[in-house]
Amino acid sequence: MKTVLLIRHAKSSWKDLLLADFDRPLNKRGKRDAPVMARYLKTQKIAIEKIFSSSAKRARKTAEIFSEELQSKVVFCDQLYATSSEELLAFINEQLKQYDSIAIVSHNPELTELSNYISDQYIDNIPTSAYVVLTCNDEILKKKNCKLVDFVYPKRKDIRMHDE
């Protein structure tokens, strides 16, 4: 069985309007929510072999927070920034040739589009710092062949009780 986590980067800052999109850092809420989400994920005992992250600053920082909490190595990939959901799916399937359980830290709308394409359940939007856990009995992910196991987002009531 293959397990894929789709993690949307934490909330980013728009404070400096002259800053390129790629270089936007996390804002105060992003810095607060990402560690809470990473700690909660750790309690779920999902083994992640490798984290692949967009190299954009906000995604990098989010991935580093998850990596530290989960004790999983992170690889930063330029191709996970400004990509299409089709390219994202191809990237994931390539990684699943080597790994059974991976996390992808990237951006919307591509993450939500991909989740809805491969999942048995529809999600309107994957918010910042949220993640989707998908499992698949096939060797490759394709249209509607994954089971959505969990959809975890910062405003979910059971998440905040883990914020210690």
Side-chain angles (χ1 to χ4, degrees):
M1 179 182 307
K2 303 291 185 179
T3 301
V4 175
L5 272 75
L6 302 178
I7 304 170
R8 184 171 174 199
H9 65 76
K11 193 81 171 161
S12 61
S13 173
W14 288 89
K15 190 175 183 178
D16 183 352
L17 297 177
L18 298 178
L19 205 56
D21 178 73
F22 186 86
D23 296 321
R24 285 190 293 120
L26 297 183
N27 69 11
K28 186 177 178 180
R29 190 171 109 201
K31 291 175 186 173
R32 180 193 72 214
D33 286 349
V36 171
M37 297 300 289
R39 281 192 300 273
Y40 180 79
L41 177 56
K42 185 177 181 179
T43 70
Q44 302 306 294
K45 308 270 192 259
I46 300 171
I48 302 297
E49 294 175 84
K50 185 117 0 170
I51 299 171
F52 296 92
S53 174
S54 159
S55 49
K57 188 170 187 175
R58 60 194 180 275
R60 287 182 75 94
K61 184 60 181 169
T62 303
E64 289 166 355
I65 291 167
F66 275 82
S67 173
E68 185 176 320
E69 191 67 43
L70 301 173
Q71 297 298 297
S72 246
K73 185 175 178 352
V74 62
V75 176
F76 299 104
C77 308
D78 289 341
Q79 72 251 46
L80 295 179
Y81 176 75
T83 189
S84 69
S85 55
E86 293 85 6
E87 291 167 327
L88 190 54
L89 178 58
F91 177 87
I92 291 169
N93 279 326
E94 190 61 34
Q95 303 315 312
L96 291 176
K97 291 177 181 175
Q98 183 175 353
Y99 303 103
D100 289 326
S101 181
I102 63 171
I104 302 291
V105 180
S106 195
H107 310 269
N108 255 1
E110 295 80 16
L111 286 178
T112 299
E113 290 170 358
L114 177 61
S115 178
N116 289 332
Y117 180 76
I118 63 177
S119 174
D120 62 345
Q121 295 180 49
Y122 177 84
I123 293 175
D124 188 49
N125 178 50
I126 299 174
T128 53
S129 296
Y131 65 85
V132 175
V133 181
L134 299 159
T135 60
C136 181
N137 289 321
D138 296 336
E139 288 298 308
I140 63 165
L141 310 184
K142 56 188 175 192
K143 189 173 186 173
K144 303 294 180 202
N145 76 331
C146 295
K147 179 179 179 7
L148 190 146
V149 176
D150 207 354
F151 174 34
V152 185
Y153 47 92
K155 292 185 179 180
R156 220 171 81 172
K157 288 183 178 31
D158 61 328
I159 302 303
R160 288 295 165 194
M161 68 183 198
H162 292 276
D163 186 17
E164 299 164 354

